[in-house]
Amino acid sequence: MKFRYILFFVIFFISKSIIAQNYNLGLPFIRYYSTKEYNGGIQNWSITQNKYGLIYVANNFGVLEYDGSKWEMYATKTGTKARHLAINDKGKIYVAGQGDFGYLYPKTNGILSYTSLADSLPKEYRNFDETWKVFIDDNRVIFGTFSQIFIYNQDGKIDIIDPQYPPENFFFVNHQLYIDQLETGLSYIDNNQIVPIAHAEKLKGMKVSGVIPLSGNNLWIATENNGVFVYDNHTVTPWEGSMDEFHDASIKCAIRLRNGNFAIGTQNNGLYLMSPQGQLILHLNKGQGLNNRTVLCLYEDLQNNLWLGHNNGISYIELGMPLTYIDEQVGVPGSGYAGFLDGNDLYLGTNNGLFHKKITTQATAEYNFVPNTDGQVYSIEKVKNHLLLGHHQGAFEIKDSKATSISTALGSWTFLPLKNHPDYVIGGNYKGLNLYKEVNGKLEFQNKIEGFNESSRVMEQADNGDIWMTHGYKGVYRITLSDALDKVEKVKFYGEDSGLPSNLLINVFNINNRLVFTTTDQIYRYDEKTDRFIIDDTFKDYFDNEIVTALAEDPYQNIYFLSPDEIGILKNEPTGGFTVKDDIFNKLKNMLNDDLQNISILSANQALYGAKEGFILYDASGQDMANYNYRTLIREVKITTDDERTLFKGFNVENGDIIDHQPKSEVPEIDYANNSIQFTYSAAYVDGLERTEYKYWLENSEKNWSTWTQKTEKEYTNLHEGTYTFHVKARNIYGKESEITTYKFVVLPPWYRTSLAYIIYTLLIIAVLFVSFYLFDKKHKKEKRAMSLNQEKEINRKNTEIKNIARESADEIERLKNENLTKEIESKNKELATSTMHLINKNGFIANIKNNLSGISKRSKNQEVKKELRKIITNIDKNISQDDDWEHFSFHFDQVHGDFTNRLKIEYPNLSPQEMKLSAYLRMNLSTKEVAHLLNISVRGVEICRYRLRKKLELERSTNLQEFILKF
């Protein structure tokens, strides 16, 4: 164990001394922004960043702002070029521009607005051409032009320094302003006076392009075309660093990175990274990482990544990440399959062949193609001090960057030393196994091993000498070779029947000196006792239902792994077990080669991944920025109704400072008619921005957070009145979430739901209730009166009905009485008529008898008989004249005819009884003959009686006696 740790430390220090920087091997990840993408001018003269992560660029069209999602342009007052930028601790952006200088600062609703400071200059100083630089020195802001230096003080006063010679450039180092003048060299400002540095004459006539502080108050001074110098407060001497790279480069700018290295931008030769000792670390140029060879400005952002302002475009270089790219730009074309570091020689195999690079502490030229290796490379392995190459054309040995064929059998996959036969090596190929032997220091092909013809790409040897070979879609083979190594003595197949989840995608790896088998589910190991495969307890907590396609173990026993959904490291913990580290590798998803995936361990801290284009190198000793804290910024809030307007434009201001939260006093109130609102937000995190995701939640409208989405806008429509708070957060490519950012706003109720409206409604309700009660009371009284009237009417109606009923009853009774009377009268009339008729008949009969008797008497000659007959006739007359019948008749007659006789007698008292009878008989409408019988007189006598009666009744001649009697 002690030997192992000593070995690890030796490997570590050797590897660190050989591969001190990833940039010796490849290029950092670089993103280029074209003018079409940022929608600005071609030239970019200055880049800076505020404390919230927003990037600002001085561009030909104005000031560019980049929030990690989109670019926005802010024009200066004159709409001309911006040359330089500086941001103070309050967030105010000072701008040096063409013919002007001033600042950008949020005003209404957080919208950045430009204010010119040059307009406050005296007229004689206002007409200058360019302001090239701006620096902030505590409460002072210094603007440098080609004619004067203007110092803007906190009280608004502007001090003016008028140099004797026109300045060429300005630098601000350790609160000291330095000025380059061709006539005098480099000078500095002391109490508003220009003072040359010691031996400034050595820089006379040179254009100084960069001044960087060194330890001990020394200065590192770069000139445009005359190299780099060091100033130690006394002398100016050339920099001891290697300057060979700059013999044809024109330096435009330079900065010192936080890791101590120098970044140098040139006019015609791209970017150089130099170590503090002056050694070249990285050179980027057009076609080798950059799209433009001119670098006008440099800026290292909060994530230690480098921004380059070009003559045409902007580049973003991820110097802060432990990942570098090795592809055709550095001379390695094709998809990456295998890599191996042999001492100082790095070999990389792609589908286009094998490539080599000699590694030194200095950055070197591109990789070189190894002759005789054109075509598909499968593996690069060192076996028994022989560097072997598995190739589609066969097996090769690499020596002194040359490839020598050792087998022409097509499709050499891999090589395996035989533990029980130290001089032999077995090789897997398309059609089985080949045997190689070390003879006189050389590895020579011996023979094909008979008895096994399966393609043998992945295989490892067990301690007992058996060879385990896995096939991509068949399963696992356990191979036992004969003692003579000329044939396969025994082959046993293992698949689903042997405990494996399937026969597909099985690979075998030697991890920690034991064999493990990756499958479509878990990682398994072989159990000798049961002759079956079981889940390996070491890995079961780290891989669950996950296909692992590649494993590789470094000298520290950290295990690198690949799967379709995850790339990472199982970091070996001193206390046992592993810690999964995978966030930094999220950047590699969709970039790696998905054919025959492979991880090559180059050194104790470096792993090489085959990519679709070349390789990606991971350096575990590099800085890991995956845990960098960043912010999600709400960039814009606007109303999206017909009355479209901006409520907020990205900046909160409180007490003159730009802050990262919304002040309580800046909560907007939105009319109900404008209750549709859109939020635009962005994470100020450039790395992997295309895979940054966001979650949002509108409090008081939504119950839960949304799902993760890559959209940077969210719109809400038809919001009800109330107070809302919009919450948003981001998750970057590495899975790290930002803090939550909020924005509060109020949607006012419509006029008909305002407090005043409710007061009016209350008053109206009270008024309505009062009026309603009044009207109801009035109505009630009216209804009561109406009810009383109705009741009275009803009573009257009932009384009327009762009266009507009574009257009807009385009428009915009267009718019935009349009916009865009528019936009685009719009966009386009938009786009277009967009686009258009887009387008439009787009188008639008697009269006839009388007449007959009178006739007999006249004819009879017997006097006795005549006497008796006359006696009888006299009795008859006496009987007829009696009034008893009349009295009886009169009684009944008056009952029937309304007391006619009495009324007539009263009215006409002089009427005789004979006339009374005649009137009664006329009332009964009897004929004259009938009356004559009743009165026992002749018809003539009746006529005479009628005449007398008319006279007594005093009737006119025109009046009918019968009618008068009937109507009386």
Side-chain angles (χ1 to χ4, degrees):
M1 184 64 69
K2 183 183 294 185
F3 174 77
R4 179 180 295 176
Y5 281 117
I6 293 173
L7 178 62
F8 286 169
F9 281 116
V10 170
I11 293 173
F12 173 75
F13 285 113
I14 291 176
S15 64
K16 290 296 288 185
S17 64
I18 293 177
I19 310 177
Q21 290 285 341
N22 287 349
Y23 310 130
N24 286 339
L25 308 180
L27 302 175
F29 282 75
I30 301 172
R31 175 162 185 168
Y32 174 73
Y33 298 93
S34 67
T35 55
K36 289 184 179 180
E37 193 165 357
Y38 61 72
N39 195 26
I42 59 172
Q43 293 177 317
N44 298 284
W45 298 97
S46 173
I47 301 176
T48 188
Q49 186 178 31
N50 72 4
K51 59 184 176 182
Y52 303 119
L54 297 175
I55 295 291
Y56 291 93
V57 182
N59 180 265
N60 274 359
F61 288 179
V63 178
L64 284 169
E65 178 188 72
Y66 186 51
D67 60 13
S69 296
K70 66 177 183 178
W71 295 87
E72 187 160 354
M73 176 70 72
Y74 294 95
T76 61
K77 180 180 178 181
T78 56
T80 54
K81 301 176 182 180
R83 298 297 192 185
H84 199 240
L85 303 173
I87 303 177
N88 68 5
D89 55 1
K90 294 182 179 295
K92 186 175 289 186
I93 305 167
Y94 288 94
V95 183
Q98 189 177 44
D100 196 13
F101 59 83
Y103 62 87
L104 285 168
Y105 195 68
K107 293 187 177 179
T108 305
N109 298 335
I111 301 173
L112 280 183
S113 179
Y114 179 78
T115 300
S116 173
L117 294 175
D119 289 345
S120 60
L121 290 172
K123 291 183 179 180
E124 63 270 24
Y125 291 104
R126 182 63 185 88
N127 190 25
F128 56 84
D129 290 332
E130 299 276 357
T131 308
W132 273 103
K133 291 292 176 68
V134 55
F135 305 107
I136 297 173
D137 181 22
D138 294 332
N139 295 324
R140 302 189 309 161
V141 183
I142 303 169
F143 297 96
T145 74
F146 282 156
S147 52
Q148 290 87 25
I149 300 170
F150 302 103
I151 302 175
Y152 178 76
N153 296 286
Q154 188 177 20
D155 57 6
K157 180 183 176 182
I158 299 179
D159 295 331
I160 302 173
I161 300 175
D162 201 351
Q164 181 181 358
Y165 303 105
E168 289 291 327
N169 211 339
F170 303 89
F171 309 94
F172 194 72
V173 178
N174 294 332
H175 295 278
Q176 180 67 63
L177 179 65
Y178 290 87
I179 305 168
D180 176 43
Q181 296 168 295
L182 293 177
E183 292 80 2
T184 60
L186 190 66
S187 305
Y188 63 92
I189 300 296
D190 184 17
N191 291 324
N192 290 347
Q193 298 296 317
I194 298 176
V195 180
I197 65 172
H199 299 287
E201 66 278 1
K202 290 187 177 181
L203 300 175
K204 190 175 180 179
M206 301 181 186
K207 288 186 178 181
V208 176
S209 53
V211 175
I212 297 173
L214 298 176
S215 60
N217 293 323
N218 295 339
L219 297 178
W220 184 93
I221 302 172
T223 64
E224 193 167 292
N225 297 300
N226 301 94
V228 180
F229 300 86
V230 174
Y231 172 66
D232 62 1
N233 288 321
H234 301 289
T235 60
V236 176
T237 58
W239 187 36
E240 293 180 357
S242 173
M243 296 305 300
D244 294 338
E245 299 292 342
F246 297 99
H247 69 276
D248 58 352
S250 177
I251 300 175
K252 293 294 293 182
C253 54
I255 63 171
R256 187 90 183 258
L257 303 179
R258 295 187 186 96
N259 62 7
N261 295 331
F262 294 93
I264 301 170
T266 70
Q267 174 71 33
N268 56 353
N269 213 18
L271 173 74
Y272 293 88
L273 286 186
M274 308 290 292
S275 72
Q277 294 76 31
Q279 295 174 325
L280 180 64
I281 298 172
L282 175 68
H283 179 210
L284 301 177
N285 205 348
K286 185 178 173 93
Q288 188 175 344
L290 299 181
N291 286 62
N292 190 283
R293 66 178 68 252
T294 300
V295 180
L296 299 177
C297 64
L298 297 165
Y299 180 76
E300 185 180 18
D301 68 15
L302 299 174
Q303 296 173 244
N304 299 329
N305 297 307
L306 188 62
W307 292 81
L308 279 62
H310 294 296
N311 191 65
N312 184 8
I314 300 169
S315 291
Y316 166 75
I317 305 175
E318 296 184 8
L319 296 181
M321 301 303 292
L323 300 168
T324 50
Y325 221 128
I326 304 172
D327 61 3
E328 193 165 359
Q329 291 194 74
V330 294
V332 182
S335 300
Y337 280 85
F340 191 84
L341 180 64
D342 185 28
N344 292 340
D345 295 300
L346 178 62
Y347 293 93
L348 302 176
T350 73
N351 63 307
N352 290 323
L354 183 67
F355 299 86
H356 165 260
K357 182 175 184 177
K358 178 72 72 173
I359 301 174
T360 66
T361 55
Q362 288 277 1
T364 60
E366 296 180 349
Y367 288 76
N368 297 309
F369 175 71
V370 177
N372 201 31
T373 64
D374 186 61
Q376 177 70 60
V377 172
Y378 291 125
S379 65
I380 309 170
E381 301 171 76
K382 195 155 192 177
V383 181
K384 297 183 179 296
N385 293 320
H386 298 278
L387 187 61
L388 303 179
L389 176 69
H391 196 281
H392 172 69
Q393 298 297 335
F396 295 83
E397 183 173 0
I398 307 301
K399 195 170 185 179
D400 297 329
S401 301
K402 296 180 181 179
T404 303
S405 176
I406 58 175
S407 172
T408 59
L410 288 178
S412 179
W413 291 114
T414 187
F415 304 93
L416 195 66
L418 295 178
K419 295 181 179 180
N420 299 328
H421 304 275
D423 296 333
Y424 290 90
V425 174
I426 194 173
N429 57 64
Y430 291 166
K431 295 184 179 181
L433 303 172
N434 286 343
L435 184 68
Y436 304 89
K437 183 179 181 181
E438 190 175 30
V439 179
N440 297 324
K442 294 182 179 181
L443 200 64
E444 297 178 354
F445 172 75
Q446 298 297 304
N447 56 269
K448 181 183 185 305
I449 298 176
E450 301 296 333
F452 190 77
N453 297 317
E454 294 288 350
S455 177
S456 304
R457 184 178 70 85
V458 180
M459 56 186 186
E460 292 289 346
Q461 188 174 25
D463 291 339
N464 63 0
D466 287 346
I467 296 170
W468 291 88
M469 192 277 287
T470 60
H471 194 285
Y473 55 87
K474 291 186 177 181
V476 180
Y477 296 89
R478 184 179 184 181
I479 303 169
T480 303
L481 300 178
S482 64
D483 292 338
L485 303 179
D486 58 347
K487 64 180 180 180
V488 172
E489 193 172 84
K490 181 180 179 181
V491 176
K492 184 171 182 178
F493 174 78
Y494 295 86
E496 291 185 46
D497 295 337
S498 303
L500 293 169
S502 75
N503 296 342
L504 302 176
L505 303 177
I506 301 173
N507 291 289
V508 59
F509 300 95
N510 189 332
I511 302 297
N512 199 16
N513 293 321
R514 62 190 183 89
L515 302 186
V516 296
F517 297 80
T518 61
T519 69
T520 57
D521 184 0
Q522 279 271 9
I523 295 180
Y524 286 72
R525 65 179 177 85
Y526 174 71
D527 183 43
E528 187 74 34
K529 293 181 180 179
T530 60
D531 192 29
R532 291 179 62 82
F533 285 87
I534 61 175
I535 294 176
D536 194 317
D537 293 338
T538 304
F539 302 101
K540 69 178 182 180
D541 294 334
Y542 307 103
F543 303 104
D544 186 17
N545 297 322
E546 189 172 358
I547 302 173
V548 177
T549 56
L551 292 175
E553 187 178 30
D554 71 5
Y556 296 130
Q557 295 183 339
N558 299 313
I559 301 171
Y560 293 75
F561 65 86
L562 287 178
S563 75
D565 298 322
E566 189 176 12
I567 306 167
I569 307 172
L570 298 181
K571 293 183 68 79
N572 184 31
E573 295 295 335
T575 56
F578 298 95
T579 299
V580 179
K581 177 179 177 58
D582 57 1
D583 50 6
I584 191 66
F585 297 100
N586 289 342
K587 193 176 185 68
L588 306 187
K589 290 180 180 179
N590 303 320
M591 298 176 67
L592 300 187
N593 182 2
D594 54 17
D595 175 44
L596 309 181
Q597 289 188 324
N598 175 266
I599 306 171
S600 302
I601 304 299
L602 299 186
S603 67
N605 288 295
Q606 291 181 315
L608 191 70
Y609 295 86
K612 295 176 182 177
E613 294 292 333
F615 295 87
I616 296 174
L617 178 65
Y618 168 70
D619 187 349
S621 64
Q623 187 174 10
D624 186 353
M625 294 300 295
N627 291 320
Y628 169 77
N629 292 322
Y630 63 100
R631 299 175 185 270
T632 298
L633 305 174
I634 295 177
R635 303 299 298 131
E636 186 177 25
V637 182
K638 66 179 181 180
I639 293 172
T640 58
T641 57
D642 292 338
D643 184 24
E644 183 174 327
R645 59 189 172 90
T646 299
L647 296 176
F648 175 70
K649 198 62 174 68
F651 295 95
N652 295 296
V653 178
E654 188 174 53
N655 298 325
D657 291 348
I658 293 179
I659 58 176
D660 62 350
H661 60 274
Q662 182 186 20
K664 294 181 180 179
S665 60
E666 295 297 325
V667 177
E669 294 183 341
I670 304 169
D671 293 336
Y672 188 78
N674 299 318
N675 61 351
S676 294
I677 189 169
Q678 183 184 66
F679 293 90
T680 303
Y681 41 84
S682 179
Y685 194 89
V686 180
D687 186 16
L689 63 92
E690 66 280 350
R691 289 169 61 186
T692 300
E693 297 177 316
Y694 301 89
K695 260 188 178 184
Y696 51 82
W697 166 45
L698 185 60
E699 187 178 348
N700 198 26
S701 176
E702 298 169 324
K703 293 183 178 180
N704 299 307
W705 286 84
S706 70
T707 56
W708 289 107
T709 175
Q710 292 182 348
K711 293 182 178 180
T712 57
E713 292 182 351
K714 176 59 182 174
E715 183 175 1
Y716 295 93
T717 59
N718 299 321
L719 292 172
H720 197 268
E721 65 264 23
T723 300
Y724 297 89
T725 303
F726 180 72
H727 305 254
V728 63
K729 61 180 177 179
R731 182 174 66 182
N732 64 16
I733 189 175
Y734 306 112
K736 183 175 178 59
E737 295 184 12
S738 69
E739 294 182 0
I740 297 172
T741 300
T742 62
Y743 184 84
K744 189 175 183 179
F745 64 97
V746 177
V747 176
L748 297 174
W751 64 266
Y752 51 85
R753 285 205 292 262
T754 60
S755 299
L756 179 59
Y758 285 119
I759 292 172
I760 294 173
Y761 296 152
T762 303
L763 295 176
L764 286 175
I765 290 171
I766 293 172
V768 169
L769 288 175
F770 177 79
V771 172
S772 299
F773 287 145
Y774 172 76
L775 294 176
F776 179 78
D777 184 62
K778 187 176 180 180
K779 182 180 178 183
H780 176 69
K781 290 178 179 179
K782 184 178 179 181
E783 289 177 349
K784 189 175 181 181
R785 287 195 302 271
M787 189 180 296
S788 299
L789 292 173
N790 289 336
Q791 286 177 348
E792 188 175 346
K793 287 180 180 179
E794 186 67 18
I795 291 171
N796 292 334
R797 188 183 66 80
K798 293 293 184 182
N799 289 335
T800 303
E801 283 186 3
I802 292 170
K803 288 179 180 180
N804 291 334
I805 292 171
R807 186 172 60 253
E808 289 175 358
S809 298
D811 292 342
E812 183 68 17
I813 293 169
E814 189 66 28
R815 187 184 63 79
L816 292 174
K817 284 181 180 181
N818 290 335
E819 278 187 9
N820 290 334
L821 289 173
T822 302
K823 289 180 180 179
E824 189 176 350
I825 290 170
E826 287 178 354
S827 177
K828 295 291 184 181
N829 281 333
K830 287 179 181 180
E831 290 180 6
L832 182 60
T834 301
S835 177
T836 303
M837 292 305 296
H838 178 70
L839 182 60
I840 291 170
N841 291 332
K842 183 189 79 168
N843 289 342
F845 177 74
I846 293 173
N848 286 332
I849 292 173
K850 175 185 174 184
N851 288 333
N852 290 331
L853 289 176
S854 292
I856 293 172
S857 174
K858 288 177 177 181
R859 290 188 308 265
S860 174
K861 292 180 176 187
N862 187 343
Q863 288 297 329
E864 186 76 28
V865 171
K866 282 185 177 183
K867 184 180 179 182
E868 287 298 328
L869 286 173
R870 280 194 296 271
K871 193 184 283 189
I872 293 169
I873 292 170
T874 302
N875 289 333
I876 291 171
D877 289 336
K878 193 182 287 188
N879 182 269
I880 293 173
S881 62
Q882 288 180 353
D883 290 330
D884 291 339
D885 289 336
W886 169 253
E887 292 297 334
H888 179 73
F889 172 80
S890 178
F891 175 77
H892 288 291
F893 180 83
D894 283 336
Q895 283 186 341
V896 173
H897 293 282
D899 203 18
F900 175 77
T901 56
N902 289 328
R903 289 188 292 109
L904 187 62
K905 184 181 262 190
I906 294 170
E907 186 70 27
Y908 301 100
N910 57 345
L911 293 177
S912 65
Q914 187 73 6
E915 291 171 344
M916 289 294 294
K917 289 179 181 181
L918 177 59
S919 299
Y921 294 149
L922 290 174
R923 178 87 176 184
M924 290 180 65
N925 203 17
L926 297 178
S927 66
T928 302
K929 187 177 181 181
E930 289 173 336
V931 172
H933 283 297
L934 290 173
L935 293 177
N936 198 21
I937 60 176
S938 65
V939 173
R940 177 65 180 165
V942 173
E943 292 294 333
I944 294 169
C945 285
R946 285 174 62 96
Y947 173 75
R948 291 174 181 166
L949 181 60
R950 284 180 60 87
K951 196 171 182 180
K952 286 185 177 182
L953 293 176
E954 299 178 350
L955 297 178
E956 298 288 335
R957 288 183 66 128
S958 59
T959 303
N960 187 283
L961 176 63
Q962 185 89 25
E963 289 181 359
F964 177 79
I965 294 298
L966 289 173
K967 292 180 179 179
F968 187 81

